[in-house]
Amino acid sequence: MTTFDRSLPSDLPSQLFIGGSWVDADGGRTFDVIDPATEDVLTSIADAGPDQGVEALDAAVAAQDSWAATAPRERAEILRRGFEIITRRADDFARLMTLEMGKPLTTSYGEVTYGAEFLRWFSEQAVRIRGDYGVLPEGSLRQLVLKRPVGPCLLITPWNFPLAMATRKAGPALAAGCTVVIRPASNTPLTTLLFAKAMQEAGVPDGVLNVITGRDHGVTDKVLADPRLRKVSFTGSTPVGRGLLKQASEHVLRTSMELGGNAPFIVFDDADVDAAVSGALAAKIRNNGEVCVAANRFIVHESVAAEFTEKLTDGMSKVGYGDPMDKATEVGPLITGKDRDNVHSLVESARAAGATVLLGGEIGSGKGYYYPPTVISGVAPDADVMMNEIFGPVAPITTFGTEEQALEIANSVPVGLAGYVYTRDINRIQRMGDELEVGMIGANVGVFSNPAAPFGGVKESGLGREGSYQGIEEYLETIYMALPNPF
Ligand code: SIN
């Protein structure tokens, strides 16, 4: 049996990062971080209490004015150095993400590139923040439109992309001149600590970037209740996002919410079925299926359903499945035993309703929160496995007859993050652009996430956009100044 290097980076911090110093949690409290592949404790790190959330906000508030006054070029160069350090330390970041999250090592390397790129992209945006100047329509006044940083931000990041979600939020915030407190998910806090270390080395001034790890203990509530906070950005589930939006309403905070998805993957009768199958595999198994833009509902025209189902099942059966440290692995363990059980109960509920499990669908024995690549056919469009975000390597397939039916099924859920369509008809692609109720569409494309493209959803999938040119606007206020005409 091959033995893999499961060591943590030797300089990995285990403390909170507040005001440029590494500090213990109150009372020296710690919590364990678990390797989902082995169920072993990887390490124990600081478990902050609410007062330390406030201390981190104190530090962010104290640093806000001077950071906002820093030349955009200087902010850009710090971000660019962050990009370079992370890229140089790709081995450390990739191994760390695989250890704490369970994503396959090759996927983690992909995330290092993706995550670092947000810093490079926003280093390039920092020097392109633009205002406006013009004559008002009546000709009586001029308008000057200025941009200002929003102010101190709370960034709450999820466990599924421990690096990329931190950089996708902190990159634009720092570029815009905002200071930040990052709250990484308690399952995967280690990557954020190494990220903070990289940014410290890149020259981020004390207090500009702070990290509070822990199991919460009311930290988020206390920081959100503090009127000095000006923005909260969150990636995670819709129910949690809804709760945060309520809390954010108290001080009318700016919010960015990247919430749950339930992506339809529609294969029309004129699709290139082989291309659809390879897109489906990519959109399903990326990151163990633990992606909010993962293809969740396969909606396939009845004339190509048999061929698509057979080829997808064959493809899923060949997916490398096992220890995520193995470079041949494409699907590793899920994040926790509870998450794995939730996935399995969706499969069981489809089976009980008469659907056919063609592949997988059983939890094996042994250590680790593994769930095998699974394909289910004959699934009703309103089955639990279709109506809920699966967050695992499970592909349920339903069929349709007409384009209207496909759209009706696709749009029948309250969320609308991503969707995929496979067809050779350019007019149909354009109709999907108009009518699919989602924020992002892969048209004959299975993976589309990119720092230069706007990421975000419609309906209950959230508010705002991350990445692209829009990403930095989320951290800027627009100030209008009226001026008289010059004499
Ligand atoms: C997410 O699952 O939250 C992010 C996925 C991505 O960036 O592609």
Side-chain angles (χ1 to χ4, degrees):
M1 207 177 81
T2 322
T3 311
F4 299 105
D5 176 8
R6 300 195 113 86
S7 62
L8 298 171
S10 55
D11 62 341
L12 178 69
S14 62
Q15 294 166 296
L16 312 174
F17 187 52
I18 302 179
S21 301
W22 295 95
V23 295
D24 283 336
D26 283 340
R29 189 170 51 200
T30 60
F31 72 108
D32 295 339
V33 181
I34 307 293
D35 177 349
T38 60
E39 303 182 35
D40 292 339
V41 175
L42 280 171
T43 186
S44 298
I45 63 161
D47 188 9
D51 290 346
Q52 287 172 307
V54 175
E55 279 164 34
L57 184 58
D58 291 343
V61 169
Q64 178 57 54
D65 285 353
S66 57
W67 182 242
T70 306
R73 177 69 72 203
E74 203 177 322
R75 299 200 297 265
E77 282 171 1
I78 291 172
L79 288 172
R80 172 74 196 207
R81 283 198 292 276
F83 159 79
E84 280 159 10
I85 293 166
I86 291 171
T87 304
R88 196 177 66 233
R89 297 197 63 180
D91 292 343
D92 285 337
F93 275 98
R95 197 172 67 253
L96 189 55
M97 278 192 279
T98 292
L99 285 172
E100 67 173 343
M101 187 273 169
K103 69 178 74 196
L105 196 59
T106 45
T107 310
S108 293
Y109 275 101
E111 182 171 347
V112 175
T113 306
Y114 181 44
E117 190 57 39
F118 281 107
L119 299 184
R120 179 159 67 172
W121 172 262
F122 284 110
S123 78
E124 290 156 356
Q125 297 309 307
V127 291
R128 288 180 176 76
I129 297 169
R130 300 293 303 271
D132 200 5
Y133 177 76
V135 180
L136 291 178
E138 300 74 20
S140 51
L141 290 174
R142 305 278 167 106
Q143 65 167 323
L144 182 61
V145 179
L146 306 164
K147 296 286 178 175
R148 273 187 207 156
V150 166
C153 303
L154 175 63
L155 311 180
I156 308 176
T157 56
W159 51 262
N160 61 343
F161 286 86
L163 178 64
M165 297 305 102
T167 55
R168 185 152 89 183
K169 294 181 193 304
L174 299 187
C178 297
T179 58
V180 302
V181 176
I182 309 179
R183 286 274 300 125
S186 58
N187 293 321
T188 58
L190 305 181
T191 306
T192 311
L193 292 174
L194 197 61
F195 165 59
K197 190 147 203 319
M199 295 310 289
Q200 189 179 27
E201 190 187 329
V204 169
D206 294 351
V208 168
L209 184 148
N210 307 275
V211 179
I212 293 292
T213 54
R215 289 169 295 180
D216 199 79
H217 308 291
V219 173
T220 305
D221 291 354
K222 192 134 184 199
V223 175
L224 281 171
D226 193 312
R228 296 172 302 164
L229 184 74
R230 288 318 311 145
K231 169 160 181 128
V232 58
S233 173
F234 170 69
T235 294
S237 74
T238 298
V240 174
R242 201 177 275 122
L244 290 171
L245 282 168
K246 283 189 191 136
Q247 288 176 285
S249 71
E250 180 64 25
H251 297 298
V252 194
L253 294 185
R254 287 280 294 272
T255 58
S256 296
M257 294 282 145
E258 200 262 273
L259 308 180
N262 183 344
F265 188 106
I266 308 176
V267 184
F268 285 100
D269 50 354
D270 63 348
D272 173 340
V273 174
D274 290 332
V277 168
S278 73
L281 282 168
K284 184 70 257 181
I285 64 164
R286 174 176 173 235
N287 212 48
N288 302 337
E290 296 168 303
V291 191
C292 51
V293 294
N296 209 66
R297 295 173 290 154
F298 291 88
I299 303 167
V300 185
H301 191 271
E302 51 208 18
S303 68
V304 291
E307 182 187 354
F308 177 83
T309 303
E310 190 191 323
K311 288 181 170 171
L312 182 65
T313 307
D314 183 51
M316 289 282 272
S317 73
K318 293 180 178 141
V319 164
Y321 164 58
D323 191 327
M325 297 304 277
D326 187 334
K327 288 205 173 112
T329 295
E330 295 165 278
V331 167
L334 301 185
I335 187 72
T336 66
K338 185 164 171 278
D339 288 83
R340 189 228 356 235
D341 294 347
N342 288 345
V343 170
H344 188 54
S345 69
L346 290 173
V347 174
E348 283 299 281
S349 131
R351 202 191 315 252
T356 308
V357 178
L358 298 168
L359 180 77
E362 299 297 342
I363 299 179
S365 56
K367 287 278 192 185
Y369 309 124
Y370 290 94
Y371 200 79
T374 296
V375 180
I376 321 174
S377 68
V379 183
D382 59 353
D384 283 351
V385 74
M386 290 283 189
M387 300 307 278
N388 291 283
E389 194 173 17
I390 303 169
F391 249 59
V394 174
I397 304 172
T398 196
T399 57
F400 70 90
T402 64
E403 185 175 310
E404 292 69 32
Q405 279 169 355
L407 271 171
E408 195 183 321
I409 297 170
N411 291 340
S412 66
V413 292
V415 292
L417 191 61
Y420 303 81
V421 291
Y422 275 76
T423 172
R424 290 186 168 100
D425 181 344
I426 184 67
N427 291 314
R428 178 178 270 152
I429 288 177
Q430 291 188 68
R431 284 197 297 278
M432 292 298 125
D434 287 345
E435 290 172 39
L436 257 189
E437 294 172 359
V438 294
M440 295 168 279
I441 301 176
N444 297 316
V445 169
V447 175
F448 49 67
S449 300
N450 190 292
F455 193 104
V458 301
K459 294 163 71 179
E460 294 183 18
S461 284
L463 302 166
R465 290 294 178 271
E466 295 190 307
S468 181
Y469 306 101
Q470 285 99 318
I472 196 163
E473 290 295 327
E474 302 275 329
Y475 294 89
L476 292 167
E477 301 281 13
T478 299
I479 309 298
Y480 158 50
M481 182 183 280
L483 301 166
N485 285 318
F487 298 110

